[in-house]
Amino acid sequence: MLVDSHSHFDAPEFDPDREAALARARAAGVTRQIVPAVAANSWSRLRDVCTRDRGLFPAYGLHPMYLAEHQPAHLGELRQWIERERPVAVGECGLDFFVEGLDADDQQRYFDGQLHLAREFDLPVIVHARRAVDAVIASFKRVGGLRGVVHSFSGSPEQARQLWQLGFLIGLGGPVTYERANRLRTLARTMPLDFLLLETDAPDQPDAGIRGQRNEPSRLTVVRDVIADLRRASPDDLAAATTRNAERLFGLPAQ
């Protein structure tokens, strides 16, 4: 069995065939998905989608790329959602220094607020870090007492080591399937298995076999197979190890 540690399965792209996509995921062995939020106005929809299947686990947060939709009051609302809904994580949150026009100070304020909530409620954080891994690591150290995953990791080996030393996992998905992603593929081949999670980031970040198309959780098997091949490991063994990692981080019951 596989856990998709990062799937936006509540996204409108799945409205036409969500049940069929879920069935394809199950048929592929992807029995559980962690579904992180991006903005306060999506939390209710995300909750409703996740209540339809016991294999969908919500996380609530404020994504840095949706900065224009966030309001300071949303941090207070997030506290209420965490208290009431008991999600498996806080997120998606983080920093994005790649997209132009996203105020870095505003991003940092929302990120810090969510890190403090995660520490208070003893929840892992699901973190977006694009051209911002050093700043994210500094935030973890400043707040302290945190655990979580930096999803769709694209940093350096040294940054990865710093994250592991802080107890953070890294998520790898579709980008690792592209042959030219040399640094990422080297990391996938050599990193400690205890710190690896598999993800799709569906409907985004399609693997090399569906370049330019909508991604979906059933494609997690492609990510698994590529990483297993890189590590010269059994796909089943890799699936079992990364599933244990996801169960441990998110507090999921073993299957």
Side-chain angles (χ1 to χ4, degrees), residues 126-176:
I126 299 172
V127 177
H128 172 103
R130 188 155 56 161
R131 294 194 182 173
V133 178
D134 284 341
V136 161
I137 291 171
S139 300
F140 293 160
K141 291 178 177 178
R142 185 171 59 252
V143 174
L146 298 166
R147 67 187 192 281
V149 54
V150 175
H151 103 95
S152 188
F153 183 78
S154 59
S156 68
E158 175 55 32
Q159 289 170 328
R161 282 190 289 271
Q162 291 183 60
L163 288 168
W164 302 331
Q165 290 168 1
L166 292 170
F168 275 77
L169 286 70
I170 65 172
L172 298 181
V176 78

Side-chain angles (χ1 to χ4, degrees), residues 20-240:
L22 190 58
R24 287 191 291 271
R26 287 200 202 99
V30 184
T31 58
R32 290 174 287 181
Q33 302 175 40
I34 308 300
V35 187
V38 296
N41 61 15
S42 72
W43 295 343
S44 294
R45 172 189 175 88
L46 188 152
R47 178 187 59 192
D48 292 345
V49 168
C50 288
T51 57
R52 299 175 191 173
D53 188 274
R54 63 182 182 179
L56 302 176
F57 297 88
Y60 298 110
L62 303 166
H63 192 299
M65 287 180 62
Y66 294 77
L67 190 63
E69 300 181 25
H70 304 335
Q71 300 175 15
H74 290 165
L75 287 171
E77 294 176 22
L78 179 57
R79 172 189 293 277
Q80 296 171 6
W81 272 80
I82 294 171
E83 290 176 334
R84 184 177 66 248
E85 303 296 334
R86 299 297 176 182
V88 297
V90 174
E92 183 173 354
C93 57
L95 301 172
D96 192 308
F97 296 160
F98 174 76
V99 176
E100 294 183 3
L102 297 177
D103 184 88
D105 291 337
D106 283 347
Q107 288 189 61
Q108 190 71 59
R109 279 189 286 271
Y110 285 110
F111 186 37
D112 287 350
Q114 291 173 90
L115 293 181
H116 281 96
L117 285 172
R119 186 180 66 182
E120 177 183 346
F121 287 95
D122 192 25
L123 287 171
V125 285
I126 299 172
V127 177
H128 172 103
R130 188 155 56 161
R131 294 194 182 173
V133 178
D134 284 341
V136 161
I137 291 171
S139 300
F140 293 160
K141 291 178 177 178
R142 185 171 59 252
V143 174
L146 298 166
R147 67 187 192 281
V149 54
V150 175
H151 103 95
S152 188
F153 183 78
S154 59
S156 68
E158 175 55 32
Q159 289 170 328
R161 282 190 289 271
Q162 291 183 60
L163 288 168
W164 302 331
Q165 290 168 1
L166 292 170
F168 275 77
L169 286 70
I170 65 172
L172 298 181
V176 78
T177 67
Y178 290 81
E179 291 186 358
R180 292 187 177 182
N182 293 321
R183 186 169 72 172
L184 197 57
R185 289 163 75 92
T186 297
L187 179 65
R189 184 175 65 251
T190 59
M191 68 173 287
L193 192 54
D194 286 348
F195 293 101
L196 175 63
L197 292 180
L198 304 183
E199 64 172 64
T200 61
D201 199 23
D204 300 320
Q205 297 203 53
D207 59 77
I210 55 167
R211 185 193 304 259
Q213 301 177 46
R214 185 194 73 174
N215 196 8
E216 62 177 65
S218 64
R219 301 295 296 184
L220 193 66
T221 58
V222 177
V223 177
R224 175 203 61 192
D225 291 349
V226 167
I227 295 178
D229 184 62
L230 289 168
R231 297 178 70 92
R232 298 184 178 178
S234 157
D236 287 345
D237 289 346
L238 185 72

